[in-house]
Amino acid sequence: MEKPANKLYDALWRLFQRPDHPVPWAYGGNLPWDDPAFSERMLREHLDQTHGAASRVDQERAAQIPWLINHLSLQPGMHLLDVTCGPGLYAVAFAQNQIQVTGVDFAPAAVRHARRLAQEAGVSDICQFIEHDVRTFDFPSDEFEAATILYGQLAVMTKSEALDLIKNVYRALKPGGTFILELLNPERIDKSESTWWFTDDRGLWGDSPFLCLGERQWRAEDQISIERYHVFHLVEGEVDEIILCDQLYAVEDLKAMLHTAGFRDVCHFSQWDNLPLNDAAEWLVYKGVKKP
Ligand SMILES: C[S@@+](CC[C@H](N)C(=O)[O-])C[C@H]1O[C@@H](n2cnc3c(N)ncnc32)[C@H](O)[C@@H]1O
């Protein structure tokens, strides 16, 4: 068996020889949400009330739910599709307002948590969760009165995957159904190149000592921010390389994609329409309606 020290040394050489510019969407271009161990660690972050890095804190979500119900024109008994639902924090809150919800997400620990939360809230009869990659999910047709993609995951898909997903959401909606999509505000993204590092023995990257080296590059030509992480697991002698891409969309481009998919009455809200959210300025919320 190869000694951990050798593996780490070899990894340092590979790091030294890395290409100056990573290829966008290499290694999937996203966090390994669907990796079981990563998903368990990420669940801790989703539920941590000291920050909103993975999911918003309870108090902020409570402010969003009535706004969303209003803008999605949801009434008790209607059916909402929550795409990339994570641990079901929104989905269960909607169900507690007598709205039927189907959530889709590919993170195993998040989906397990969502199902448990629905059970504990006594809404598991109207709230179901499907563990699946939303890029390959076979969405039903004309089934939902409303759909959401909250907290920006469309940005980690390639443009063509994103357009396909928007088209699939359109197909899944009933005529007259409303879609709300939350995406990073391109004006607010940090476009500086930077590098950073830190060590820890418990966190998103692992639960034993690790060193994380990070770097960010900005590709102005195609409006993609790329973060590259090298995580050295010091005990195991393993190294993870993760490339995280964020595709930014100018407002008019995103609206054009919604129109291409068939949506009408497309509009957007900045600052989360002045809801009291810590990071409201970082986001744009788009709304579109399926042709009645
Ligand atoms: C930032 S979290 C937000 C979760 C939830 N919408 C919320 O706000 O609490 C992003 C979620 O998107 C999911 N996700 C990312 N890419 C996905 C994909 N291709 N298919 C299914 N789920 C995906 C992740 O597993 C994660 O749960």
Side-chain angles (χ1 to χ4, degrees):
M1 193 178 121
E2 200 185 345
K3 281 191 187 153
N6 289 346
K7 281 177 140 178
L8 290 178
Y9 183 77
D10 291 348
L12 283 169
W13 270 113
R14 283 202 305 281
L15 171 61
F16 179 76
Q17 290 162 331
R18 74 198 182 287
D20 285 344
H21 301 289
V23 179
W25 281 282
Y27 310 107
N30 195 357
L31 297 176
W33 298 95
D34 52 343
D35 173 80
F38 183 86
S39 168
E40 293 294 342
R41 296 195 297 270
M42 182 57 95
L43 180 59
R44 291 198 306 242
E45 307 301 325
H46 279 294
L47 304 180
D48 189 332
Q49 294 297 302
T50 66
H51 65 75
S55 285
R56 289 198 171 80
V57 296
D58 295 348
Q59 201 185 348
E60 295 193 343
R61 203 171 39 260
Q64 290 174 300
I65 294 290
W67 189 95
L68 287 164
I69 289 178
N70 180 30
H71 281 274
L72 291 165
S73 306
L74 280 166
Q75 304 285 338
M78 286 184 170
H79 200 172
L80 166 75
L81 172 65
D82 186 5
V83 178
T84 65
C85 62
L89 307 175
Y90 287 92
V92 170
F94 281 119
Q96 286 172 315
N97 285 275
Q98 288 76 54
I99 292 149
Q100 275 192 70
V101 188
T102 296
V104 187
D105 199 289
F106 68 177
V111 170
R112 187 197 64 224
H113 182 84
R115 288 179 181 142
R116 194 174 53 217
L117 204 61
Q119 210 150 36
E120 285 168 4
V123 293
S124 50
D125 53 332
I126 58 166
C127 198
Q128 63 156 339
F129 296 98
I130 300 169
E131 188 180 324
H132 211 288
D133 189 325
V134 297
R135 293 168 300 181
T136 52
F137 184 60
D138 187 13
F139 288 91
S141 298
D142 298 332
E143 177 137 342
F144 302 91
E145 278 88 5
T148 49
I149 303 183
L150 297 173
Y151 233 17
Q153 283 299 295
L154 200 81
V156 300
M157 298 176 192
T158 66
K159 273 187 172 173
S160 93
E161 287 172 342
L163 180 58
D164 284 350
L165 181 56
I166 293 175
K167 286 179 177 171
N168 283 334
V169 168
Y170 185 85
R171 187 165 49 80
L173 285 169
K174 289 181 180 170
T178 307
F179 177 37
I180 281 190
L181 166 68
E182 181 184 15
L183 263 184
L184 287 167
N185 182 342
E187 306 293 327
R188 303 279 305 186
I189 293 288
D190 185 351
K191 301 183 177 89
S192 59
E193 312 246 311
S194 59
T195 58
W196 64 91
W197 65 272
F198 65 95
T199 57
D200 212 334
D201 57 7
R202 183 174 156 87
L204 191 55
W205 298 118
D207 282 334
S208 58
F210 63 84
L211 162 68
C212 175
L213 308 178
E215 59 186 335
R216 179 172 50 238
Q217 295 181 358
W218 167 244
R219 292 167 53 107
E221 67 278 22
D222 43 18
Q223 298 286 294
I224 298 171
S225 156
I226 304 189
E227 289 186 357
R228 180 160 51 179
Y229 304 92
H230 283 85
V231 184
F232 292 77
H233 300 282
L234 303 179
V235 176
E236 299 81 359
E238 303 292 340
V239 181
D240 295 330
E241 181 174 357
I242 292 127
I243 289 184
L244 177 59
C245 298
D246 268 303
Q247 175 71 62
L248 302 195
Y249 293 94
V251 170
E252 290 319 312
D253 292 345
L254 202 278
K255 286 185 173 174
M257 283 167 75
L258 290 167
H259 282 129
T260 302
F263 284 102
R264 303 284 196 271
D265 301 330
V266 171
C267 62
H268 81 285
F269 303 88
S270 24
Q271 304 263 5
W272 260 98
D273 209 15
N274 297 321
L275 289 183
L277 311 181
N278 197 26
D279 63 347
E282 311 304 320
W283 300 95
L284 294 175
V285 178
Y286 294 87
K287 177 174 168 178
V289 177
K290 181 167 175 172
K291 196 167 46 160

